[in-house]
Amino acid sequence: KFKTLTFSTLTMPTLNKNSPTLVSIITIVLNGEKSIEKTINSVISQKYKHIEYIIIDGASTDGTLEIIKKYNKHINNWISEPDDGVYCAMNKGISLSNGDIIGIINSGDIYYESTIDLIVDAYNKNSDELIIFGGMNRCLDNGSIIHHDMNEECVSLLNKKMSVFHPSTFVSSGAYLKYGMFDSEFYISGDYDFIKRVINAGINYSIINNPLSLMESGGASERPKLTLFLLDSIRLMRNFPLDSFYTCRVYLRQLLKEFFLLTVKFVLC
């Protein structure tokens, strides 16, 4: 059974109809000196200005901290310390947030300049307990861009696979209060676990078909280590036993993909 995660510092923002919606953006980074600056610039250059920006650094040893300090006046809060993985870092950022709605974007990914405008518009039309899914563009290593739409079909496929896009997903603080945050036992599938959990619980959701973010290829979940992928698959089957068949199928597909890549590499060598 899922273990509920709570943080004493996470509190519901005081509702004031006369105050503009506050959006908290969290960037997670570890040794991201080559990629974090464009992420920071995409946040601070948003047309919508009522943004709280938080950066959680996992004790980088390259030039990441110098870049963060360069933009210090644009960042509301940043910390640099070791953590127990990406979902622990995300939870840390959420616990520091004061926003009505929260977005998480990793170092290297970027928002389009009207992204937060679209999020605020969707949030203001819905309830306090809300998750917003948006479209996403993916930048491949060769520079080409692949567009991923977001629609009702994507949400309906969540029982089978991760069919929504974490950089383009925003969650209200009220939803985190009610449903808990990320399960930090996961290595690469904690976002999938969280989203399935809240959707199965009947959370209100909104869909924005527009691409809200541009994701860089090479994230931790794009080519995970098979042992970590297996451990996460076991946890997903534990939390969602009715979907175990689909979880096994996804793992076997990843296993075959890795076997194929290793075979090709062996032949070419």
Side-chain angles (χ1 to χ4, degrees), residues 184-216:
S184 57
E185 289 184 0
F186 281 92
Y187 294 99
I188 54 174
S189 305
D191 46 351
Y192 182 36
D193 171 79
F194 172 81
I195 291 168
K196 283 189 73 169
R197 180 156 41 92
V198 298
I199 289 294
N200 287 354
I203 192 173
N204 185 33
Y205 65 86
S206 179
I207 292 174
I208 300 173
N209 184 253
N210 304 58
L212 302 180
S213 63
L214 176 66
M215 182 180 181
E216 219 178 35

PDB file of all heavy atoms in Angstrom, residues 184-216:
ATOM      1  N   SER A 184       9.431   8.832  -2.792  1.00  0.00           N
ATOM      2  CA  SER A 184      10.867   8.929  -3.068  1.00  0.00           C
ATOM      3  C   SER A 184      11.555   7.567  -3.141  1.00  0.00           C
ATOM      4  O   SER A 184      12.759   7.496  -3.378  1.00  0.00           O
ATOM      5  CB  SER A 184      11.552   9.803  -2.013  1.00  0.00           C
ATOM      6  OG  SER A 184      11.326   9.293  -0.717  1.00  0.00           O
ATOM      7  N   GLU A 185      10.800   6.477  -2.953  1.00  0.00           N
ATOM      8  CA  GLU A 185      11.377   5.152  -3.151  1.00  0.00           C
ATOM      9  C   GLU A 185      11.618   4.866  -4.633  1.00  0.00           C
ATOM     10  O   GLU A 185      12.417   4.010  -4.994  1.00  0.00           O
ATOM     11  CB  GLU A 185      10.456   4.075  -2.578  1.00  0.00           C
ATOM     12  CG  GLU A 185      10.392   4.043  -1.062  1.00  0.00           C
ATOM     13  CD  GLU A 185       9.545   2.892  -0.560  1.00  0.00           C
ATOM     14  OE1 GLU A 185       9.016   2.125  -1.391  1.00  0.00           O
ATOM     15  OE2 GLU A 185       9.405   2.754   0.670  1.00  0.00           O
ATOM     16  N   PHE A 186      10.900   5.587  -5.511  1.00  0.00           N
ATOM     17  CA  PHE A 186      11.067   5.376  -6.940  1.00  0.00           C
ATOM     18  C   PHE A 186      12.359   6.013  -7.429  1.00  0.00           C
ATOM     19  O   PHE A 186      12.831   7.010  -6.891  1.00  0.00           O
ATOM     20  CB  PHE A 186       9.883   5.981  -7.706  1.00  0.00           C
ATOM     21  CG  PHE A 186       8.645   5.133  -7.686  1.00  0.00           C
ATOM     22  CD1 PHE A 186       7.687   5.308  -6.701  1.00  0.00           C
ATOM     23  CD2 PHE A 186       8.442   4.158  -8.648  1.00  0.00           C
ATOM     24  CE1 PHE A 186       6.544   4.532  -6.668  1.00  0.00           C
ATOM     25  CE2 PHE A 186       7.305   3.373  -8.628  1.00  0.00           C
ATOM     26  CZ  PHE A 186       6.347   3.556  -7.644  1.00  0.00           C
ATOM     27  N   TYR A 187      12.905   5.419  -8.492  1.00  0.00           N
ATOM     28  CA  TYR A 187      14.119   5.948  -9.110  1.00  0.00           C
ATOM     29  C   TYR A 187      13.796   6.834 -10.313  1.00  0.00           C
ATOM     30  O   TYR A 187      14.361   7.916 -10.474  1.00  0.00           O
ATOM     31  CB  TYR A 187      15.041   4.807  -9.548  1.00  0.00           C
ATOM     32  CG  TYR A 187      15.589   4.000  -8.393  1.00  0.00           C
ATOM     33  CD1 TYR A 187      15.011   2.778  -8.037  1.00  0.00           C
ATOM     34  CD2 TYR A 187      16.669   4.469  -7.646  1.00  0.00           C
ATOM     35  CE1 TYR A 187      15.502   2.043  -6.971  1.00  0.00           C
ATOM     36  CE2 TYR A 187      17.169   3.733  -6.573  1.00  0.00           C
ATOM     37  CZ  TYR A 187      16.576   2.516  -6.247  1.00  0.00           C
ATOM     38  OH  TYR A 187      17.052   1.799  -5.196  1.00  0.00           O
ATOM     39  N   ILE A 188      12.889   6.361 -11.191  1.00  0.00           N
ATOM     40  CA  ILE A 188      12.590   7.099 -12.426  1.00  0.00           C
ATOM     41  C   ILE A 188      11.092   7.183 -12.709  1.00  0.00           C
ATOM     42  O   ILE A 188      10.688   7.884 -13.646  1.00  0.00           O
ATOM     43  CB  ILE A 188      13.280   6.443 -13.650  1.00  0.00           C
ATOM     44  CG1 ILE A 188      12.899   4.956 -13.734  1.00  0.00           C
ATOM     45  CG2 ILE A 188      14.784   6.646 -13.591  1.00  0.00           C
ATOM     46  CD1 ILE A 188      13.407   4.263 -14.970  1.00  0.00           C
ATOM     47  N   SER A 189      10.273   6.511 -11.911  1.00  0.00           N
ATOM     48  CA  SER A 189       8.835   6.435 -12.215  1.00  0.00           C
ATOM     49  C   SER A 189       7.963   7.084 -11.153  1.00  0.00           C
ATOM     50  O   SER A 189       6.755   6.859 -11.124  1.00  0.00           O
ATOM     51  CB  SER A 189       8.419   4.959 -12.382  1.00  0.00           C
ATOM     52  OG  SER A 189       9.204   4.317 -13.350  1.00  0.00           O
ATOM     53  N   GLY A 190       8.539   7.908 -10.298  1.00  0.00           N
ATOM     54  CA  GLY A 190       7.762   8.531  -9.238  1.00  0.00           C
ATOM     55  C   GLY A 190       6.702   9.489  -9.751  1.00  0.00           C
ATOM     56  O   GLY A 190       5.635   9.620  -9.155  1.00  0.00           O
ATOM     57  N   ASP A 191       6.979  10.172 -10.877  1.00  0.00           N
ATOM     58  CA  ASP A 191       5.978  11.062 -11.455  1.00  0.00           C
ATOM     59  C   ASP A 191       4.800  10.272 -12.017  1.00  0.00           C
ATOM     60  O   ASP A 191       3.638  10.653 -11.854  1.00  0.00           O
ATOM     61  CB  ASP A 191       6.594  11.965 -12.522  1.00  0.00           C
ATOM     62  CG  ASP A 191       7.483  11.235 -13.501  1.00  0.00           C
ATOM     63  OD1 ASP A 191       7.791  10.046 -13.280  1.00  0.00           O
ATOM     64  OD2 ASP A 191       7.892  11.849 -14.506  1.00  0.00           O
ATOM     65  N   TYR A 192       5.098   9.139 -12.652  1.00  0.00           N
ATOM     66  CA  TYR A 192       4.038   8.274 -13.174  1.00  0.00           C
ATOM     67  C   TYR A 192       3.180   7.734 -12.035  1.00  0.00           C
ATOM     68  O   TYR A 192       1.950   7.738 -12.098  1.00  0.00           O
ATOM     69  CB  TYR A 192       4.661   7.136 -13.978  1.00  0.00           C
ATOM     70  CG  TYR A 192       3.681   6.185 -14.629  1.00  0.00           C
ATOM     71  CD1 TYR A 192       2.463   6.638 -15.143  1.00  0.00           C
ATOM     72  CD2 TYR A 192       3.982   4.831 -14.763  1.00  0.00           C
ATOM     73  CE1 TYR A 192       1.572   5.763 -15.756  1.00  0.00           C
ATOM     74  CE2 TYR A 192       3.098   3.955 -15.377  1.00  0.00           C
ATOM     75  CZ  TYR A 192       1.902   4.433 -15.873  1.00  0.00           C
ATOM     76  OH  TYR A 192       1.019   3.551 -16.474  1.00  0.00           O
ATOM     77  N   ASP A 193       3.830   7.299 -10.965  1.00  0.00           N
ATOM     78  CA  ASP A 193       3.111   6.794  -9.801  1.00  0.00           C
ATOM     79  C   ASP A 193       2.193   7.866  -9.220  1.00  0.00           C
ATOM     80  O   ASP A 193       1.020   7.601  -8.918  1.00  0.00           O
ATOM     81  CB  ASP A 193       4.122   6.332  -8.741  1.00  0.00           C
ATOM     82  CG  ASP A 193       3.475   5.988  -7.411  1.00  0.00           C
ATOM     83  OD1 ASP A 193       2.903   4.895  -7.289  1.00  0.00           O
ATOM     84  OD2 ASP A 193       3.541   6.839  -6.496  1.00  0.00           O
ATOM     85  N   PHE A 194       2.710   9.078  -9.074  1.00  0.00           N
ATOM     86  CA  PHE A 194       1.902  10.164  -8.508  1.00  0.00           C
ATOM     87  C   PHE A 194       0.705  10.483  -9.390  1.00  0.00           C
ATOM     88  O   PHE A 194      -0.432  10.622  -8.908  1.00  0.00           O
ATOM     89  CB  PHE A 194       2.762  11.422  -8.327  1.00  0.00           C
ATOM     90  CG  PHE A 194       1.969  12.635  -7.941  1.00  0.00           C
ATOM     91  CD1 PHE A 194       1.584  12.843  -6.621  1.00  0.00           C
ATOM     92  CD2 PHE A 194       1.571  13.560  -8.897  1.00  0.00           C
ATOM     93  CE1 PHE A 194       0.825  13.949  -6.257  1.00  0.00           C
ATOM     94  CE2 PHE A 194       0.813  14.671  -8.548  1.00  0.00           C
ATOM     95  CZ  PHE A 194       0.439  14.864  -7.229  1.00  0.00           C
ATOM     96  N   ILE A 195       0.947  10.611 -10.693  1.00  0.00           N
ATOM     97  CA  ILE A 195      -0.135  10.984 -11.610  1.00  0.00           C
ATOM     98  C   ILE A 195      -1.213   9.902 -11.652  1.00  0.00           C
ATOM     99  O   ILE A 195      -2.419  10.195 -11.625  1.00  0.00           O
ATOM    100  CB  ILE A 195       0.434  11.277 -13.010  1.00  0.00           C
ATOM    101  CG1 ILE A 195       1.262  12.567 -12.966  1.00  0.00           C
ATOM    102  CG2 ILE A 195      -0.689  11.406 -14.046  1.00  0.00           C
ATOM    103  CD1 ILE A 195       2.103  12.815 -14.200  1.00  0.00           C
ATOM    104  N   LYS A 196      -0.807   8.636 -11.704  1.00  0.00           N
ATOM    105  CA  LYS A 196      -1.793   7.557 -11.685  1.00  0.00           C
ATOM    106  C   LYS A 196      -2.607   7.588 -10.392  1.00  0.00           C
ATOM    107  O   LYS A 196      -3.823   7.378 -10.393  1.00  0.00           O
ATOM    108  CB  LYS A 196      -1.104   6.187 -11.812  1.00  0.00           C
ATOM    109  CG  LYS A 196      -0.662   5.842 -13.202  1.00  0.00           C
ATOM    110  CD  LYS A 196      -0.195   4.403 -13.303  1.00  0.00           C
ATOM    111  CE  LYS A 196      -1.352   3.426 -13.245  1.00  0.00           C
ATOM    112  NZ  LYS A 196      -0.958   2.054 -13.605  1.00  0.00           N
ATOM    113  N   ARG A 197      -1.923   7.875  -9.304  1.00  0.00           N
ATOM    114  CA  ARG A 197      -2.583   7.887  -8.002  1.00  0.00           C
ATOM    115  C   ARG A 197      -3.680   8.947  -7.934  1.00  0.00           C
ATOM    116  O   ARG A 197      -4.793   8.686  -7.482  1.00  0.00           O
ATOM    117  CB  ARG A 197      -1.520   8.114  -6.918  1.00  0.00           C
ATOM    118  CG  ARG A 197      -2.023   8.167  -5.503  1.00  0.00           C
ATOM    119  CD  ARG A 197      -0.923   7.798  -4.519  1.00  0.00           C
ATOM    120  NE  ARG A 197       0.358   8.354  -4.843  1.00  0.00           N
ATOM    121  CZ  ARG A 197       0.826   9.530  -4.391  1.00  0.00           C
ATOM    122  NH1 ARG A 197       0.070  10.275  -3.621  1.00  0.00           N
ATOM    123  NH2 ARG A 197       2.035   9.941  -4.702  1.00  0.00           N
ATOM    124  N   VAL A 198      -3.367  10.163  -8.408  1.00  0.00           N
ATOM    125  CA  VAL A 198      -4.357  11.233  -8.294  1.00  0.00           C
ATOM    126  C   VAL A 198      -5.478  11.074  -9.325  1.00  0.00           C
ATOM    127  O   VAL A 198      -6.633  11.410  -9.050  1.00  0.00           O
ATOM    128  CB  VAL A 198      -3.700  12.626  -8.405  1.00  0.00           C
ATOM    129  CG1 VAL A 198      -2.703  12.821  -7.267  1.00  0.00           C
ATOM    130  CG2 VAL A 198      -3.033  12.846  -9.754  1.00  0.00           C
ATOM    131  N   ILE A 199      -5.136  10.560 -10.503  1.00  0.00           N
ATOM    132  CA  ILE A 199      -6.176  10.327 -11.511  1.00  0.00           C
ATOM    133  C   ILE A 199      -7.133   9.233 -11.037  1.00  0.00           C
ATOM    134  O   ILE A 199      -8.365   9.353 -11.150  1.00  0.00           O
ATOM    135  CB  ILE A 199      -5.554   9.944 -12.870  1.00  0.00           C
ATOM    136  CG1 ILE A 199      -4.874  11.168 -13.498  1.00  0.00           C
ATOM    137  CG2 ILE A 199      -6.602   9.379 -13.820  1.00  0.00           C
ATOM    138  CD1 ILE A 199      -5.805  12.295 -13.896  1.00  0.00           C
ATOM    139  N   ASN A 200      -6.592   8.164 -10.464  1.00  0.00           N
ATOM    140  CA  ASN A 200      -7.442   7.084  -9.946  1.00  0.00           C
ATOM    141  C   ASN A 200      -8.316   7.567  -8.795  1.00  0.00           C
ATOM    142  O   ASN A 200      -9.408   7.029  -8.568  1.00  0.00           O
ATOM    143  CB  ASN A 200      -6.575   5.907  -9.478  1.00  0.00           C
ATOM    144  CG  ASN A 200      -5.970   5.130 -10.629  1.00  0.00           C
ATOM    145  OD1 ASN A 200      -6.273   5.393 -11.794  1.00  0.00           O
ATOM    146  ND2 ASN A 200      -5.106   4.181 -10.328  1.00  0.00           N
ATOM    147  N   ALA A 201      -7.835   8.582  -8.076  1.00  0.00           N
ATOM    148  CA  ALA A 201      -8.607   9.122  -6.953  1.00  0.00           C
ATOM    149  C   ALA A 201      -9.696  10.080  -7.420  1.00  0.00           C
ATOM    150  O   ALA A 201     -10.502  10.543  -6.604  1.00  0.00           O
ATOM    151  CB  ALA A 201      -7.678   9.814  -5.968  1.00  0.00           C
ATOM    152  N   GLY A 202      -9.709  10.392  -8.717  1.00  0.00           N
ATOM    153  CA  GLY A 202     -10.768  11.245  -9.258  1.00  0.00           C
ATOM    154  C   GLY A 202     -10.474  12.730  -9.249  1.00  0.00           C
ATOM    155  O   GLY A 202     -11.405  13.541  -9.254  1.00  0.00           O
ATOM    156  N   ILE A 203      -9.195  13.102  -9.259  1.00  0.00           N
ATOM    157  CA  ILE A 203      -8.852  14.525  -9.253  1.00  0.00           C
ATOM    158  C   ILE A 203      -9.399  15.214 -10.508  1.00  0.00           C
ATOM    159  O   ILE A 203      -9.493  14.612 -11.586  1.00  0.00           O
ATOM    160  CB  ILE A 203      -7.317  14.711  -9.172  1.00  0.00           C
ATOM    161  CG1 ILE A 203      -6.961  16.171  -8.858  1.00  0.00           C
ATOM    162  CG2 ILE A 203      -6.637  14.246 -10.445  1.00  0.00           C
ATOM    163  CD1 ILE A 203      -5.488  16.404  -8.605  1.00  0.00           C
ATOM    164  N   ASN A 204      -9.741  16.469 -10.354  1.00  0.00           N
ATOM    165  CA  ASN A 204     -10.154  17.274 -11.501  1.00  0.00           C
ATOM    166  C   ASN A 204      -8.911  17.587 -12.337  1.00  0.00           C
ATOM    167  O   ASN A 204      -7.854  17.915 -11.801  1.00  0.00           O
ATOM    168  CB  ASN A 204     -10.791  18.575 -11.005  1.00  0.00           C
ATOM    169  CG  ASN A 204     -11.358  19.416 -12.137  1.00  0.00           C
ATOM    170  OD1 ASN A 204     -11.836  18.879 -13.138  1.00  0.00           O
ATOM    171  ND2 ASN A 204     -11.309  20.726 -11.987  1.00  0.00           N
ATOM    172  N   TYR A 205      -9.029  17.452 -13.660  1.00  0.00           N
ATOM    173  CA  TYR A 205      -7.879  17.762 -14.499  1.00  0.00           C
ATOM    174  C   TYR A 205      -8.295  18.618 -15.680  1.00  0.00           C
ATOM    175  O   TYR A 205      -9.456  18.644 -16.097  1.00  0.00           O
ATOM    176  CB  TYR A 205      -7.160  16.495 -14.972  1.00  0.00           C
ATOM    177  CG  TYR A 205      -7.957  15.594 -15.899  1.00  0.00           C
ATOM    178  CD1 TYR A 205      -7.967  15.815 -17.286  1.00  0.00           C
ATOM    179  CD2 TYR A 205      -8.667  14.509 -15.398  1.00  0.00           C
ATOM    180  CE1 TYR A 205      -8.690  14.987 -18.129  1.00  0.00           C
ATOM    181  CE2 TYR A 205      -9.388  13.676 -16.234  1.00  0.00           C
ATOM    182  CZ  TYR A 205      -9.385  13.921 -17.605  1.00  0.00           C
ATOM    183  OH  TYR A 205     -10.100  13.093 -18.443  1.00  0.00           O
ATOM    184  N   SER A 206      -7.318  19.341 -16.211  1.00  0.00           N
ATOM    185  CA  SER A 206      -7.530  20.211 -17.361  1.00  0.00           C
ATOM    186  C   SER A 206      -6.457  19.897 -18.398  1.00  0.00           C
ATOM    187  O   SER A 206      -5.324  19.550 -18.048  1.00  0.00           O
ATOM    188  CB  SER A 206      -7.445  21.681 -16.934  1.00  0.00           C
ATOM    189  OG  SER A 206      -7.633  22.538 -18.034  1.00  0.00           O
ATOM    190  N   ILE A 207      -6.827  19.995 -19.669  1.00  0.00           N
ATOM    191  CA  ILE A 207      -5.911  19.667 -20.765  1.00  0.00           C
ATOM    192  C   ILE A 207      -5.639  20.904 -21.609  1.00  0.00           C
ATOM    193  O   ILE A 207      -6.557  21.622 -21.999  1.00  0.00           O
ATOM    194  CB  ILE A 207      -6.495  18.546 -21.646  1.00  0.00           C
ATOM    195  CG1 ILE A 207      -6.540  17.228 -20.870  1.00  0.00           C
ATOM    196  CG2 ILE A 207      -5.673  18.382 -22.925  1.00  0.00           C
ATOM    197  CD1 ILE A 207      -7.227  16.109 -21.609  1.00  0.00           C
ATOM    198  N   ILE A 208      -4.367  21.163 -21.866  1.00  0.00           N
ATOM    199  CA  ILE A 208      -3.950  22.223 -22.783  1.00  0.00           C
ATOM    200  C   ILE A 208      -3.196  21.553 -23.924  1.00  0.00           C
ATOM    201  O   ILE A 208      -2.129  20.964 -23.716  1.00  0.00           O
ATOM    202  CB  ILE A 208      -3.045  23.251 -22.083  1.00  0.00           C
ATOM    203  CG1 ILE A 208      -3.785  23.914 -20.919  1.00  0.00           C
ATOM    204  CG2 ILE A 208      -2.556  24.307 -23.079  1.00  0.00           C
ATOM    205  CD1 ILE A 208      -2.910  24.828 -20.073  1.00  0.00           C
ATOM    206  N   ASN A 209      -3.731  21.604 -25.119  1.00  0.00           N
ATOM    207  CA  ASN A 209      -3.094  20.923 -26.242  1.00  0.00           C
ATOM    208  C   ASN A 209      -1.804  21.607 -26.673  1.00  0.00           C
ATOM    209  O   ASN A 209      -0.884  20.970 -27.180  1.00  0.00           O
ATOM    210  CB  ASN A 209      -4.062  20.829 -27.430  1.00  0.00           C
ATOM    211  CG  ASN A 209      -3.465  20.032 -28.580  1.00  0.00           C
ATOM    212  OD1 ASN A 209      -3.078  20.575 -29.598  1.00  0.00           O
ATOM    213  ND2 ASN A 209      -3.369  18.732 -28.392  1.00  0.00           N
ATOM    214  N   ASN A 210      -1.711  22.909 -26.442  1.00  0.00           N
ATOM    215  CA  ASN A 210      -0.503  23.640 -26.853  1.00  0.00           C
ATOM    216  C   ASN A 210       0.745  23.055 -26.209  1.00  0.00           C
ATOM    217  O   ASN A 210       0.718  22.621 -25.051  1.00  0.00           O
ATOM    218  CB  ASN A 210      -0.596  25.103 -26.419  1.00  0.00           C
ATOM    219  CG  ASN A 210      -1.831  25.795 -26.943  1.00  0.00           C
ATOM    220  OD1 ASN A 210      -2.951  25.364 -26.675  1.00  0.00           O
ATOM    221  ND2 ASN A 210      -1.642  26.881 -27.658  1.00  0.00           N
ATOM    222  N   PRO A 211       1.872  23.053 -26.928  1.00  0.00           N
ATOM    223  CA  PRO A 211       3.132  22.657 -26.278  1.00  0.00           C
ATOM    224  C   PRO A 211       3.529  23.689 -25.229  1.00  0.00           C
ATOM    225  O   PRO A 211       3.642  24.875 -25.534  1.00  0.00           O
ATOM    226  CB  PRO A 211       4.139  22.611 -27.441  1.00  0.00           C
ATOM    227  CG  PRO A 211       3.562  23.495 -28.490  1.00  0.00           C
ATOM    228  CD  PRO A 211       2.073  23.396 -28.350  1.00  0.00           C
ATOM    229  N   LEU A 212       3.708  23.240 -24.012  1.00  0.00           N
ATOM    230  CA  LEU A 212       4.070  24.137 -22.912  1.00  0.00           C
ATOM    231  C   LEU A 212       5.564  24.131 -22.635  1.00  0.00           C
ATOM    232  O   LEU A 212       6.091  25.056 -22.013  1.00  0.00           O
ATOM    233  CB  LEU A 212       3.327  23.736 -21.638  1.00  0.00           C
ATOM    234  CG  LEU A 212       1.795  23.727 -21.701  1.00  0.00           C
ATOM    235  CD1 LEU A 212       1.221  23.305 -20.352  1.00  0.00           C
ATOM    236  CD2 LEU A 212       1.256  25.086 -22.129  1.00  0.00           C
ATOM    237  N   SER A 213       6.246  23.073 -23.080  1.00  0.00           N
ATOM    238  CA  SER A 213       7.669  22.953 -22.777  1.00  0.00           C
ATOM    239  C   SER A 213       8.414  22.291 -23.926  1.00  0.00           C
ATOM    240  O   SER A 213       7.827  21.621 -24.778  1.00  0.00           O
ATOM    241  CB  SER A 213       7.869  22.130 -21.497  1.00  0.00           C
ATOM    242  OG  SER A 213       7.390  20.799 -21.681  1.00  0.00           O
ATOM    243  N   LEU A 214       9.715  22.491 -23.911  1.00  0.00           N
ATOM    244  CA  LEU A 214      10.625  21.822 -24.841  1.00  0.00           C
ATOM    245  C   LEU A 214      11.575  20.997 -23.993  1.00  0.00           C
ATOM    246  O   LEU A 214      12.312  21.531 -23.168  1.00  0.00           O
ATOM    247  CB  LEU A 214      11.399  22.837 -25.677  1.00  0.00           C
ATOM    248  CG  LEU A 214      12.459  22.266 -26.630  1.00  0.00           C
ATOM    249  CD1 LEU A 214      11.796  21.438 -27.729  1.00  0.00           C
ATOM    250  CD2 LEU A 214      13.301  23.386 -27.238  1.00  0.00           C
ATOM    251  N   MET A 215      11.535  19.692 -24.208  1.00  0.00           N
ATOM    252  CA  MET A 215      12.331  18.774 -23.397  1.00  0.00           C
ATOM    253  C   MET A 215      13.569  18.324 -24.162  1.00  0.00           C
ATOM    254  O   MET A 215      13.506  17.969 -25.329  1.00  0.00           O
ATOM    255  CB  MET A 215      11.492  17.547 -23.019  1.00  0.00           C
ATOM    256  CG  MET A 215      12.199  16.552 -22.147  1.00  0.00           C
ATOM    257  SD  MET A 215      11.114  15.142 -21.759  1.00  0.00           S
ATOM    258  CE  MET A 215      12.204  14.180 -20.716  1.00  0.00           C
ATOM    259  N   GLU A 216      14.694  18.355 -23.477  1.00  0.00           N
ATOM    260  CA  GLU A 216      15.953  17.907 -24.049  1.00  0.00           C
ATOM    261  C   GLU A 216      16.042  16.390 -23.980  1.00  0.00           C
ATOM    262  O   GLU A 216      15.668  15.790 -22.976  1.00  0.00           O
ATOM    263  CB  GLU A 216      17.110  18.527 -23.250  1.00  0.00           C
ATOM    264  CG  GLU A 216      18.282  18.967 -24.054  1.00  0.00           C
ATOM    265  CD  GLU A 216      19.354  19.601 -23.188  1.00  0.00           C
ATOM    266  OE1 GLU A 216      19.532  19.148 -22.038  1.00  0.00           O
ATOM    267  OE2 GLU A 216      20.011  20.546 -23.649  1.00  0.00           O
TER     268      GLU A 216
END
